[in-house]
Amino acid sequence: MVQVLGETLALVAGIALSPVPIIAAILMLLSPRARSTAPGFLIGWFVGIVVALVVFIALASVLPDAGETGPQPVIGVIKIVLGLLLFVLAIRQWRSRPKKGEEAKLPGWMASIDTMKAPRAFILAFLLSAVNPKNLVLAASAGIIVGSAGLSVGSIIGVVAILAVIASLTIALPVILYLVASKRMAGPLDSLRAWLSQNNAAVMATLFLVFAFVVIGKGLSSF
């Protein structure tokens, strides 16, 4: 279990560091309904991460090589393919970064956050964590590692819980800090939102590139 956590922590950290959901959470905290929408967004994010991980763990557990201690060529090929997808995402993100002096464009749905209620915030967060292709590739990579490790059901539940908590930390911390000290945190959160908005593409490109090599390396070591 500890070894599996060590192999997957970096991948879920990549999910946690995704700027777009952090920006969305901050915008909710700065909106009139902050005390209802932000917790709803956090819960939706956590549930989405759990669902994504469980789905890919279940898929990995039925692969021919799952649970074997020797070479796992089928799982190795899948990891390499996922690593290549991360590499493609890194290139796309890097090319989409704003030019010098140009303002970064954010998704159009962010304009409706001020009027959003808790149920819609939950659904939005669930979609961003469980359906968003960028997060799915990272969740799939982590799920393949966990599902192919031959862990017991109890260990898998523990690993999923830990990974989901880690993937949710960057959403949970701003929410908790704002709810505890809203007036004091408003300024710093807005500054963080502005920086993440402008550097979203560069941050994600760097993360995807690093994780691409990590996942491809794990795939090669499976042969």
Side-chain angles (χ1 to χ4, degrees), residues 121-135:
F122 176 93
I123 294 171
L124 173 62
F126 182 88
L127 294 175
L128 286 174
S129 58
V131 182
N132 180 7
K134 297 173 186 177
N135 279 353

Side-chain angles (χ1 to χ4, degrees), residues 54-128:
V54 168
V55 167
F56 287 110
I57 289 171
L59 291 174
S61 65
V62 300
L63 293 174
D65 300 336
E68 294 184 6
T69 55
Q72 299 174 315
V74 174
I75 292 172
V77 170
I78 294 174
K79 289 178 181 177
I80 291 172
V81 171
L82 290 171
L84 292 174
L85 285 174
L86 287 169
F87 188 75
V88 171
L89 287 172
I91 295 173
R92 289 186 60 185
Q93 285 292 311
W94 185 254
R95 288 181 174 177
S96 68
R97 72 192 191 282
K99 297 178 181 179
K100 188 175 181 179
E102 184 181 30
E103 188 174 347
K105 295 180 180 179
L106 292 174
W109 52 261
M110 285 191 175
S112 65
I113 284 180
D114 277 351
T115 59
M116 195 173 289
K117 295 182 179 179
R120 192 177 169 195
F122 176 93
I123 294 171
L124 173 62
F126 182 88
L127 294 175
L128 286 174

Side-chain angles (χ1 to χ4, degrees), residues 6-221:
E7 292 180 2
T8 53
L9 281 179
L11 295 170
V12 294
I15 296 175
L17 293 172
S18 180
V20 169
I22 299 175
I23 294 169
I26 292 174
L27 288 174
M28 287 182 189
L29 290 171
L30 300 177
S31 72
R33 295 189 175 95
R35 293 190 176 275
S36 61
T37 55
F41 187 85
L42 172 59
I43 295 170
W45 178 264
F46 181 84
V47 172
I49 296 296
V50 170
V51 170
L53 287 173
V54 168
V55 167
F56 287 110
I57 289 171
L59 291 174
S61 65
V62 300
L63 293 174
D65 300 336
E68 294 184 6
T69 55
Q72 299 174 315
V74 174
I75 292 172
V77 170
I78 294 174
K79 289 178 181 177
I80 291 172
V81 171
L82 290 171
L84 292 174
L85 285 174
L86 287 169
F87 188 75
V88 171
L89 287 172
I91 295 173
R92 289 186 60 185
Q93 285 292 311
W94 185 254
R95 288 181 174 177
S96 68
R97 72 192 191 282
K99 297 178 181 179
K100 188 175 181 179
E102 184 181 30
E103 188 174 347
K105 295 180 180 179
L106 292 174
W109 52 261
M110 285 191 175
S112 65
I113 284 180
D114 277 351
T115 59
M116 195 173 289
K117 295 182 179 179
R120 192 177 169 195
F122 176 93
I123 294 171
L124 173 62
F126 182 88
L127 294 175
L128 286 174
S129 58
V131 182
N132 180 7
K134 297 173 186 177
N135 279 353
L136 269 183
V137 178
L138 292 172
S141 302
I144 293 294
I145 293 172
V146 177
S148 62
L151 298 176
S152 65
V153 175
S155 295
I156 290 175
I157 292 173
V159 168
V160 169
I162 293 170
L163 295 181
V165 167
I166 293 171
S168 304
L169 284 177
T170 50
I171 305 296
L173 287 176
V175 172
I176 294 170
L177 290 173
Y178 185 85
L179 293 178
V180 171
S182 56
K183 292 182 179 179
R184 188 175 300 178
M185 292 304 300
L189 285 175
D190 192 48
S191 298
L192 177 60
R193 175 204 58 77
W195 187 89
L196 288 173
S197 299
Q198 193 64 22
N199 296 281
N200 170 41
V203 170
M204 291 306 300
T206 304
L207 290 173
F208 284 143
L209 183 61
V210 171
F211 295 136
F213 285 110
V214 170
V215 175
I216 289 174
K218 292 182 184 299
L220 292 174
S221 65

